[in-house]
Amino acid sequence: MVTISGKRLLFSTEGKAWRGKIMQFAQSPQVLIMGNKLRIYFSTRESNDEKFLSHVAYAEFDEKFKLLNFTDSEVLSLGSLGTYDEHGIFPLNVVRFKERIFGYVGGWNRRKSVQIDGAIGISESFDNGKTFVRIADGPIIDSSLSEPFLIGDPFVIHVNGTFHMWYIYGKEWIKDPITESFERIYKITHAISANGIDWTKDSLNSQLISDSIGPNEAQAMPTVIKINDAYYLFYCFREVFDFRENPKNTYRIGCSVSSDLRNWQSEEIEFEQQGHEEDWDSEMRCYPHAFTWKGKNYLAYNGNRFGEEGFGLAEILTSVR
Amino acid sequence: MNFTQAPFPINIDGCTRIFFSTRSTKDKDGNYCSYIHFADYDIENGKIVSFSETPLIKSGGRGTFDEHGTYPFSLIRYDNRFFGYYGGWSRKISVPYEVKIGMVTSEDGKNFEKCGEGPVIGASLFEPMTISGPRIFEFNELLHMFYISGTKWKLDSVGKPESIFKIRHATSRDGINWIRQNSNILDSILEEDECQASPTVFYAHSYYHMLFSYKYGSDFRGTDRGYRLGYAISENLYNWRRVDAMLTIDASEESWDNRDISYPSFYNYINRNYIFYQGNDFGKSGFGYAKLTFLEE
């Protein structure tokens, strides 16, 4: 059993501006620890005609989680014409490796017959994480024979000399019989790498985490943390249709546990209620990111309306296994 | 039949089977889809024996890489089976399309089965955009694929995005996992944004020879900036030297190929060497072939 304790809205978009406009959304929090400061990257939206573009910014917090500052410019520019990440970056998963800082890019591009496609790229920072540049313009993980589209949501850790990545791949675009729009089903999978750049996909079991609400379940944003001797994988999942407005069908956060990073067992998860002021995640919880800081384990995540109000933070408590 | 593009001949048990692509009629948005067919050809008597009835590879499902067409195609017999590779097309918003390479297998060279819903070769770190035009060969017990890789989208004189692409090379032992050479293997001679396509490679007289098409990067339709034939040689399949001046084409007086010769494909049939190609206007009128001879022969 995992208990998510002391949850609160950590970063609110209310009253904030970004690049001269009202800040819309602060989604998919991703942490980089800077000594006594906590830096959290997030994606914010900028309207472009009727569509929007997601850009990466960050906010910094002190040891008591007081907001110190946030950036007013993008950390990594969008990709050039025709590339995998020209219409949005969501998330930017930031990983320290020795003296280097890599940024794994969840890149999105718009298509004609369906809304979007995605692939995963890599960038690197040479100014201590303030800005990132692409190692090259193409993706490091693209669609493949058994993962036909919608590659995204990278999360990378380095364990005993091997890089591990959890990410999502699209399985099917299916038509909502009521709205007649095409909606996507995606699942979580895993790849490994020796250098963080060249990856080998798992070929044995493509779908890593079993469905808990049925085959049409969409699973997203895997994040892995080691607590004591076990690995915990948090992710969000939802129904394929009517998930934007209907709280019954929308994202909630799930958890699986593993001792070997290969075999995952579903683990019960409970969010401790904080009282009436905690309305920010009353209907939806999505895009989790787990990290350890100063001896405690935390989960950052988004609440209602996919993080329009900002992102929250809570402590992860595990019972002795 | 609208267009017969990208002829690819292969000798299957003595029969010359020519794979090619045709276009559907345009839809309400002015878009069309390409499909792969074949014709069985009696090269001794110069007669087409039969045509395939239906497209060999179905378009993919919603959101897949080959949802909007399959073009072009090449095939090889390997490990007692046939491996086929094709460009799968899907439409985008900011640029007209994206292409990735799909794979099919066949027991008989007639009926094909997709190896997966997704591509066998997609974009990669150093090949960021369109990956298309696969040509498959076997040399020294290794599969070699020559293909084209989009390097950028360039806006032409009326602001329309045109893909700039160069010939690339990858190798594989199983046909599924490919090691890319990750560099442009030919110099560009027209301009930096020269586009190169349809490499066909064969071994003769101690060298590997490549014929290919090349053109200017933009404003090439109906102008003298369109496709022409190029020629390069190599000792090892990795390092190539352009020797375009060593290629001589006897001029044609015929109306279907008097302006353009593109999409060359080498074909050997009982000690005779041929080049199949498509003619004027990107193959609108059809394809044909010519005899290939080496001057020192």
Side-chain angles (χ1 to χ4, degrees):
Chain A
M1 167 97 145
V2 171
T3 304
I4 305 301
S5 174
K7 66 188 174 66
R8 66 224 189 254
L9 187 64
L10 180 67
F11 180 82
S12 169
T13 55
E14 194 180 346
K16 291 191 176 68
W18 194 72
R19 297 214 294 197
K21 290 180 189 162
I22 294 166
M23 185 186 276
Q24 301 181 67
F25 293 88
Q27 296 178 291
S28 191
Q30 302 280 322
V31 165
L32 182 67
I33 288 160
M34 313 287 290
N36 288 328
K37 277 194 306 189
L38 187 66
R39 179 181 293 171
I40 303 184
Y41 298 83
F42 59 90
S43 291
T44 187
R45 291 185 183 184
E46 197 165 65
S47 293
N48 168 30
D49 300 325
E50 286 163 27
K51 310 278 186 176
F52 63 84
L53 303 170
S54 286
H55 299 269
V56 180
Y58 67 74
E60 291 185 312
F61 302 86
D62 70 10
E63 289 170 81
K64 291 176 176 160
F65 298 109
K66 182 174 165 280
L67 177 65
L68 298 172
N69 58 70
F70 62 94
T71 54
D72 192 40
S73 58
E74 58 186 7
V75 164
L76 171 63
S77 59
L78 298 183
S80 56
L81 182 67
T83 53
Y84 74 99
D85 56 347
E86 69 172 310
H87 295 135
I89 298 171
F90 178 120
L92 181 72
N93 176 238
V94 180
V95 180
R96 280 188 198 277
F97 179 62
K98 295 178 180 169
E99 299 301 307
R100 303 173 75 175
I101 301 176
F102 289 125
Y104 290 92
V105 178
W108 300 98
N109 61 87
R110 297 191 188 286
R111 304 184 90 79
K112 199 122 182 198
S113 70
V114 292
Q115 300 152 46
I116 51 161
D117 197 11
I120 295 168
I122 187 166
S123 61
E124 185 169 2
S125 179
F126 301 98
D127 58 5
N128 211 21
K130 285 195 177 79
T131 61
F132 286 77
V133 290
R134 284 173 187 73
I135 290 178
D137 285 344
I140 52 171
I141 299 192
D142 195 14
S143 50
S144 58
L145 287 173
S146 60
E147 297 174 3
F149 37 71
L150 288 169
I151 307 296
D153 294 4
F155 178 86
V156 174
I157 58 173
H158 189 255
V159 182
N160 301 331
T162 300
F163 286 89
H164 291 257
M165 183 192 289
W166 290 269
Y167 64 100
I168 61 168
Y169 67 98
K171 204 166 177 183
E172 197 179 353
W173 283 96
I174 61 172
K175 196 176 193 173
D176 184 327
I178 294 165
T179 65
E180 301 208 321
S181 65
F182 282 85
E183 301 291 356
R184 47 196 185 261
I185 298 172
Y186 32 75
K187 306 293 183 186
I188 291 164
T189 189
H190 173 246
I192 56 169
S193 170
N195 61 8
I197 298 172
D198 303 301
W199 292 85
T200 306
K201 293 183 179 186
D202 281 0
S203 55
L204 294 178
N205 59 337
S206 252
Q207 182 177 341
L208 197 67
I209 304 296
S210 52
D211 296 322
S212 47
I213 53 174
N216 283 355
E217 165 179 322
Q219 307 174 333
M221 208 60 76
T223 177
V224 174
I225 186 170
K226 189 179 185 188
I227 302 176
N228 301 324
D229 285 329
Y231 293 96
Y232 291 81
L233 186 152
F234 296 89
Y235 64 105
C236 53
F237 63 101
R238 59 167 171 79
E239 292 283 354
V240 68
F241 301 136
D242 190 27
F243 59 90
R244 293 181 181 87
E245 306 291 336
N246 184 347
K248 278 193 296 199
N249 290 351
T250 198
Y251 276 125
R252 65 204 89 168
I253 288 174
C255 181
S256 286
V257 65
S258 172
S259 55
D260 60 4
L261 292 174
R262 296 277 170 190
N263 300 294
W264 295 91
Q265 295 292 324
S266 181
E267 180 81 358
E268 201 180 331
I269 180 169
E270 184 191 51
F271 285 76
E272 278 181 3
Q273 289 305 315
Q274 300 298 310
H276 70 280
E277 80 278 13
E278 298 298 323
D279 283 345
W280 65 280
D281 70 342
S282 55
E283 296 185 345
M284 184 190 300
R285 294 186 188 113
C286 57
Y287 313 139
H289 180 83
F291 62 98
T292 302
W293 194 36
K294 296 188 181 290
K296 287 185 175 177
N297 303 307
Y298 294 97
L299 194 69
Y301 63 96
N302 285 115
N304 301 345
R305 292 183 302 286
F306 309 95
E308 192 168 5
E309 288 177 65
F311 56 83
L313 186 74
E315 197 177 336
I316 302 168
L317 303 175
T318 56
S319 51
V320 177
R321 295 174 61 80
Chain B
M1 204 177 269
N2 294 303
F3 289 88
T4 50
Q5 295 186 288
F8 178 85
I10 181 170
N11 186 332
I12 296 181
D13 304 325
C15 167
T16 299
R17 182 161 296 160
I18 307 164
F19 293 89
F20 59 94
S21 293
T22 66
R23 292 185 186 182
S24 66
T25 50
K26 285 185 176 176
D27 67 13
K28 59 176 169 42
D29 299 325
N31 297 311
Y32 57 82
C33 290
S34 289
Y35 296 104
I36 295 150
H37 287 264
F38 67 77
D40 282 343
Y41 186 65
D42 177 351
I43 205 163
E44 300 286 359
N45 297 304
K47 274 198 313 209
I48 287 174
V49 179
S50 63
F51 280 108
S52 56
E53 296 284 325
T54 52
L56 302 183
I57 302 172
K58 277 189 195 148
S59 296
R62 177 76 58 159
T64 55
F65 76 106
D66 56 353
E67 180 180 3
H68 297 125
T70 50
Y71 161 87
F73 180 74
S74 73
L75 185 70
I76 195 165
R77 185 173 257 168
Y78 190 70
D79 266 355
N80 294 320
R81 295 163 80 199
F82 290 95
F83 287 176
Y85 298 90
Y86 63 98
W89 294 62
S90 61
R91 293 181 193 139
K92 297 186 76 174
I93 297 288
S94 63
V95 294
Y97 60 83
E98 179 172 88
V99 191
K100 296 178 184 188
I101 294 175
M103 182 180 180
V104 290
T105 56
S106 174
E107 301 298 325
D108 59 5
K110 265 187 188 178
N111 300 290
F112 295 90
E113 190 177 338
K114 282 187 189 180
C115 294
E117 263 194 290
V120 68
I121 303 183
S124 67
L125 194 55
F126 300 107
E127 296 183 342
M129 301 174 201
T130 277
I131 306 289
S132 186
R135 288 294 188 80
I136 182 78
F137 306 95
E138 183 188 349
F139 295 110
N140 310 317
E141 293 171 2
L142 193 62
L143 287 171
H144 290 260
M145 190 184 290
F146 293 86
Y147 58 101
I148 64 174
S149 166
T151 56
K152 64 176 170 186
W153 287 89
K154 183 187 183 183
L155 300 180
D156 72 5
S157 56
V158 293
K160 184 180 167 234
E162 292 280 9
S163 179
I164 305 299
F165 44 87
K166 307 286 186 185
I167 292 174
R168 296 265 176 141
H169 171 228
T171 57
S172 174
R173 296 213 173 270
D174 62 7
I176 293 172
N177 296 294
W178 291 87
I179 299 166
R180 309 186 201 217
Q181 190 176 334
N182 274 332
S183 57
N184 298 334
I185 59 175
L186 299 180
D187 292 335
S188 294
I189 59 170
L190 292 175
E191 57 174 351
E192 191 193 331
D193 288 337
E194 171 182 295
C195 291
Q196 305 161 346
S198 57
T200 186
V201 177
F202 53 96
Y203 184 78
H205 303 285
S206 309
Y207 281 95
Y208 295 98
H209 303 256
M210 180 191 292
L211 293 176
F212 57 96
S213 296
Y214 66 107
K215 65 174 174 65
Y216 284 88
S218 60
D219 304 290
F220 49 81
R221 290 182 183 83
T223 68
D224 59 1
R225 295 162 63 87
Y227 274 123
R228 56 213 73 195
L229 275 188
Y231 181 26
I233 57 173
S234 171
E235 292 176 30
N236 59 13
L237 292 161
Y238 288 84
N239 304 305
W240 292 85
R241 185 155 58 93
R242 282 188 77 155
V243 288
D244 298 67
M246 291 171 71
L247 178 69
T248 313
I249 305 157
D250 292 336
S252 169
E253 309 257 309
E254 292 185 48
S255 61
W256 70 276
D257 70 340
N258 56 346
R259 284 177 285 118
D260 300 342
I261 291 179
S262 65
Y263 231 95
S265 189
F266 174 79
Y267 182 55
N268 173 271
Y269 184 86
I270 317 179
N271 299 325
R272 295 197 299 271
N273 295 325
Y274 299 94
I275 293 294
F276 282 66
Y277 58 94
Q278 68 188 31
N280 295 341
D281 304 318
F282 304 94
K284 201 166 185 173
S285 319
F287 60 81
Y289 60 94
K291 283 208 179 96
L292 178 80
T293 50
F294 291 93
L295 286 182
E296 56 266 46
E297 273 181 358

